[in-house]
């Protein structure tokens, strides 16, 4: 479990943008929608800079429940600055709930995979990229894979 947590933190160190704006969100989000459609994934995709939602798409098979999950995951990442999957796995390793450790309700903060911080090199976290609709590890994996591919093309 310790190795998993270390690898999740390493992703956050590696997957950083040189800049991030509306065009970046549109390009990344559009690519994620194309990939999700090709794979027939029932996902909601949400990209934000601070409080501003820059991109949002809900594909076939999703519902308003996915929007609620997005909100809860985003709230968690904004509060702690780490991926929602990292936070969930850290709590799992501790054998504790988010209520036990941080005195905040899981009904408002979802420590479940799928939300990743948008980090700008030399600046820090400026937003979030979130997916909801798959099992949490797959939500996380889809976001990470998408960011990795996008950043590889940016070079």
């Amino acid at each position: 479990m310790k190795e998993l947590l270390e690898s999740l933190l390493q992703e956050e160190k590696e997957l950083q943008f040189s800049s991030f704006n509306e065009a970046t969100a549109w390009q990344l989000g559009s690519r994620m929608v194309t990939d999700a459609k090709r794979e027939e994934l029932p996902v909601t995709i949400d990209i934000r800079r601070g409080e501003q939602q820059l991109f949002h798409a809900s594909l076939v098979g999703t519902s308003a429940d996915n929007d609620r999950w997005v909100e809860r995951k985003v709230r968690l990442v904004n509060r702690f600055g780490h991926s929602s999957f990292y936070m969930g796995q850290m709590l799992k390793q501790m054998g504790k709930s988010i209520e036990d450790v941080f005195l905040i309700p899981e009904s408002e903060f979802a420590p479940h995979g799928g939300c990743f911080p948008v980090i700008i090199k030399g600046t820090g976290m400026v937003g979030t990229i979130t997916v909801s609709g798959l099992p949490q590890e797959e939500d996380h994996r889809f976001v990470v894979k998408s960011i990795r591919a996008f950043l590889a093309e940016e070079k």
Side-chain angles (χ1 to χ4, degrees):
M1 180 63 89
K2 184 179 180 200
E3 294 82 23
L4 174 60
L5 292 175
E6 288 173 3
S7 72
L8 293 172
L9 289 176
Q10 186 60 36
E11 286 175 348
E12 293 174 14
K13 289 178 185 165
E14 289 174 17
L15 301 177
Q16 298 188 7
F17 294 80
S18 53
S19 64
F20 192 86
N21 59 25
E22 293 83 354
T24 312
W26 177 258
Q27 291 164 357
L28 177 57
S30 297
R31 164 184 275 170
M32 290 173 77
V33 166
T34 299
D35 292 347
K37 282 183 173 181
R38 185 179 58 250
E39 297 176 40
E40 297 181 357
L41 302 177
V43 294
T44 293
I45 299 165
D46 183 270
I47 302 177
R48 300 176 188 207
R49 182 182 57 208
E51 294 289 318
Q52 184 182 18
Q53 186 178 58
L54 300 178
F55 186 93
H56 187 89
S58 295
L59 302 184
V60 173
T62 62
S63 70
D65 288 343
N66 296 104
D67 293 331
R68 179 81 170 112
W69 274 99
V70 165
E71 293 296 330
R72 293 170 55 220
K73 291 177 186 183
V74 166
R75 201 172 288 122
L76 180 87
V77 174
N78 282 335
R79 180 161 181 150
F80 294 101
H82 291 292
S83 76
S84 56
F85 192 57
Y86 171 82
M87 294 301 297
Q89 294 305 302
M90 182 191 73
L91 291 165
K92 182 178 176 183
Q93 181 181 0
M94 297 169 73
K96 304 271 186 183
S97 72
I98 195 163
E99 289 95 346
D100 293 338
V101 179
F102 299 108
L103 303 176
I104 57 176
E106 190 165 343
S107 62
E108 294 296 318
F109 297 84
H112 300 273
C115 187
F116 199 88
V118 172
I119 301 168
I120 296 180
K121 294 173 190 166
T123 299
M125 184 179 145
V126 298
T128 55
I129 301 168
T130 312
V131 168
S132 173
L134 305 172
Q136 65 168 330
E137 191 168 349
E138 292 176 41
D139 278 348
H140 177 80
R141 196 175 304 129
F142 183 73
V143 173
V144 166
K145 180 180 78 169
S146 299
I147 296 170
R148 194 177 304 279
F150 184 85
L151 292 175
E153 281 188 12
E154 218 180 37
K155 293 180 181 178

